[in-house]
Amino acid sequence: MQGKTEPFESMFIARQPVFTPDESVWGYELLFRSGRENEAVIDDESQATASVIADGLTLATEGMDPAARILINFPEKLLVEDAGFALPKERCVVEILENVRPGRETLAAARRLKDAGYTLAVDDFFGQDELRPFVELADIVKMDILALGADPARIKAGMAGLPGKVTLLAEKVEDNETFKTLRDMGFSLFQGFFFSHPEIIPGRKLTANETTRLQVLGELAKPDFEPVRLAAILQSDPSLTYRLFRYVNSAGFGLLEKITSAKRAMDMMGMIQAKQWLRSVVLADLNPSPKAGELAYLAVHRAKFMESICSSSNRPVCEPDTLFMTGLFSLLDAMLGMSMHDILKSLPLEESVVQALDGNGELYDLLRLATSYERGQWGETSQRLKKLALDSFQAELLYIQSRSWAQKMLGYSKAE
């Protein structure tokens, strides 16, 4: 698609999870970007939010738990124009941006939403008196922890005088220590990348189940892996066989009859997809916690995106399976609470994968491209696309398709 003029402007939505104190997923904030250059600054906030309402909501919520709440940013223009009424109030939260000032029109608009049963959030509050009228109406108050230097004294000062009814959401929480401090201070919701950073537990050893799962991942990583080994792994675990049947019977393979044997299922999928499916579900089984479930989804999404970029590019040296493994294993440290170095000792991975997981090499650039998309870091996304000579429209399409693929792969965990 390089060099062609697209008939429409590309539109891209990222979503960031919001967690409860027990690290279950409460919901997601949607982040919008438009234009082919991945601008970090949105020139027209109203257009951005309107696009989220019109098109992005459906795109971003595909495969999402129906109980998850959705935060959508509202600039002054759309707030006053009552655009929030286009959203389902049972699910969506109207987030009033920090640059909206309480005035006659904006307060009246916020009250109309509140009276109609909508949930209101105030963004980037750290004690500003001018935002107090919005805070009095709000159900959720978001505090930017990085802007406050993660300083407990400054955070407490910002919390002073808040109505007792409001729910406190800490955003830009970057590490587990800060998360735990804020949880003890009374915050109820948490947004940031603390969940994807490893919390190293001294003396931590793998459980028998984790060891078995890592051994399976190691087997699947071998270049000389044979189909007979895949069949043996499935036969040793009835739950995997059951889930394989359910996946194949529901994943749109155009079947005229139900699959009744693991061999038939693998034949229908093909060896490559069968390996990808097994890697994905084994990874998701490593840790049953809610946080790890979100991490597994991110890892599978990264894996497929990186593989797709490789398959769709004209790169002289590109091995899709190697890139898939790089993305898949990239969050193992956060899932297991161990250093990546210790985990990699259990996995016979290629040197290029090991380098990428250590933060070096060409594969690391593709891994960072995936993470910049996840985090809505559009400036970095643009730089990495240019460095890798990738077309932004094509990359976005592959990212969206990879998300859909990951949802299908892990559909059993989303539905249950």
Side-chain angles (χ1 to χ4, degrees), residues 322 325-326 329 349-358 363:
T322 299
M325 285 190 293
T326 302
F329 297 153
L349 298 176
E350 298 175 44
E351 183 59 29
S352 60
V353 178
V354 174
Q355 282 186 354
L357 297 177
D358 277 341
L363 300 191

Side-chain angles (χ1 to χ4, degrees), residues 126 143 148-160 181-182 185:
F126 47 85
M143 297 188 73
L148 293 169
D151 180 353
R154 294 178 66 190
I155 294 168
K156 284 181 180 178
M159 296 168 62
T181 298
L182 295 169
M185 291 174 68

Side-chain angles (χ1 to χ4, degrees), residues 316-346:
V317 179
C318 190
E319 296 184 7
D321 200 52
T322 299
L323 280 166
F324 188 91
M325 285 190 293
T326 302
L328 192 72
F329 297 153
S330 62
L331 289 165
L332 275 177
D333 52 351
M335 292 180 69
L336 295 174
M338 298 177 66
S339 73
M340 186 63 78
H341 175 75
D342 289 339
I343 294 169
L344 291 177
K345 289 190 293 187
S346 306

Side-chain angles (χ1 to χ4, degrees), residues 60-120:
T61 57
E62 181 185 352
M64 189 185 290
D65 184 342
R69 302 301 298 274
I70 301 163
L71 289 148
I72 297 179
N73 295 329
F74 269 72
E76 181 173 332
K77 183 174 184 290
L78 287 187
L79 181 66
V80 170
E81 291 177 353
D82 289 332
F85 286 95
L87 299 169
K89 63 184 176 184
E90 299 80 11
R91 190 168 194 192
C92 292
V93 177
V94 173
E95 182 174 333
I96 302 171
L97 288 172
E98 70 278 6
N99 56 7
V100 179
R101 290 294 173 261
R104 183 177 59 83
E105 287 188 313
T106 54
L107 283 170
R111 288 194 187 98
R112 286 192 294 272
L113 287 165
K114 181 77 171 178
D115 291 343
Y118 280 82
T119 301
L120 300 182

Side-chain angles (χ1 to χ4, degrees), residues 107 125 152 240 265 278 283 324 355 375:
L107 283 170
F125 180 77
L240 284 177
L278 187 54
L283 183 88
F324 188 91
Q355 282 186 354
R375 300 181 177 197

